[in-house]
Amino acid sequence: MTPRVYLINPSHVAFGVAVITPRWLYVLAAATGHEWGDPVIVDETLERIDLNAINRGDVVGIGIHTGNARRGYEIGRAARERGAWVVYGGIHATLFPDEVFEFGAAHSVVKGDGDLIWKKAVRDCVDGKPLPLYDGGRVSGDDFIPARWDLLPESSYMWASVQTVRGCPKHCSFCSVWRTDGQEPRQRTVDKVIGEIVELRRKGFKFIALADDNFYPVTLEDLAMAGRRHDKSRLHQLQDMRQERFELMRALAGLPDDMVFFTQITMEAAEDTAFLDAMRKARIRGALIGVEAVTPEGLKDVYKGFNLAGDELIERLRTFRRHGVHVLGSFIFGLPSDREKTFEATAALAADADITFAQFVLLTPFPGTIDFEKWAAKPENQETKVDGIPVTRHWLIPQEKRPKLFTPHPTMSIEDIRVRTQLAWDQFYSWKNVWKRSNVVKSMKARVAFVLISKLYRQMYANTGIATDSARVQRSAQWARVIAKAVRRLFIAKPMPELEMPDLAPPAEQVA
Ligand code: SF4
């Protein structure tokens, strides 16, 4: 019997419908090739896996980040008991390759990008001789594999996701992206990105997340600094990179006009109004921006000195809105410099700055970050345990017992910070405030969609992440399941199977 290849996205909570397609599942499905038939794709944010379906000799690929590693290990152990080959990949497996053997019954681990190396790992498993480690390194933008969108299940996702660039030149202390994906941005060519988007629009996806580490990899400041160097090679390289961004946005603008895009960028893009205008023309209507903190002390805490604070911050965030880009502002609570008034000041700033969506996250030392290294090196943290597991490996602690904050705060209790964070979510997403913000769209149908997606976002991310009460988490997940189904219908368009690739040739004046 031909073995089957499984690709699994573990999750301890399922919503029946998910907002964004987990792109890596479909990229690795493409990387698997056709030798063993179509891979079986399991996204547990939709439904739990049926472990009984796994047979002896199957190859089970499990992609883990720190948040779902524990659930991933449960699946891996069960799959191995059933006689399958178990291979881990993803950011967490890259950072802790030994842990997947210790806790997840692994046969192998794939470090780094799986695009090119995954197929070899599968073949070796099928041949019965997997290597313990496959190092995929960082593949170049030209080698990123387009996803197998033909394998997407019907009616499960609201937004599709396409990657245009990997890597981020910044070095924020709470983020691991610049260390795992590197600081040198790796851009995909325009034709490959547009090819995937056209395929997705043919299937009826009109909302696309450009799932990039940082969509704005070259700032005006970077260009100015490179321009001051005697050797201009770096300047030319950055100029080419920037030019390619504009070419991509020009191509996006040529796609069907019901399409809407969303991405992640740094706040410095507000200075670059030519870039913002190109985003608006490309219908990149929203961007996740890490505001993190609203005070200079808070920004220093997270090495994000390139952000602004106070009135300048409000002005910068408003600039996005003026140029037609809505902001999903991300804020961190629990920083050493936070005080009781910081919570209210943050909520007030979010309202003043015309932010359309916001998320308020608790400072968590995630592996791969500078914050984690400093925190995990402290003997008192190594000695603190929950059920015998040191908090320096907090992802191994059962979800319901896992602390919500890990670092004692100089002036506030951890519970106080958690409650105030929950209040910030409650306030920002109150019916009154959400309805007020819904005037960013015109028709009643669009306003209803806006309200529902705002409420859904809050249920999925605030109530299932910050709440300590498991009954509340379950109720939220059930509620989210109900509205997610209704909301999805508002995001999906009529399929366009006949849609052609747009002409990607540069305009005549550019050629000349
Ligand atoms: S938080 Fe954003 S800007 Fe900072 S390193 Fe990570 S991806 Fe880059």
Side-chain angles (χ1 to χ4, degrees), residues 141 205 286 367 405 448:
F205 283 98
L405 260 177
V448 170

Side-chain angles (χ1 to χ4, degrees), residues 387-408:
D387 282 1
I389 303 165
V391 291
T392 48
R393 284 184 147 192
H394 51 80
W395 52 93
L396 297 174
I397 299 170
Q399 194 75 25
E400 61 286 1
K401 293 187 181 165
R402 210 173 285 173
K404 297 289 170 188
L405 260 177
F406 297 90
T407 321

Side-chain angles (χ1 to χ4, degrees), residues 169-174 219 221 266-268 271 290-310 312-313 316 332 335:
K170 304 296 176 193
H171 58 274
C172 304
S173 66
F174 57 87
T219 66
E221 173 67 17
T266 52
M267 214 189 292
E268 298 146 303
E271 292 166 343
V291 182
E292 325 307 0
V294 300
T295 61
E297 300 77 33
L299 292 169
K300 233 161 118 195
D301 284 341
V302 293
Y303 293 22
K304 209 149 183 173
F306 59 87
N307 271 7
L308 296 173
E312 276 180 305
L313 169 60
R316 234 184 213 201
I332 300 178
L335 300 173

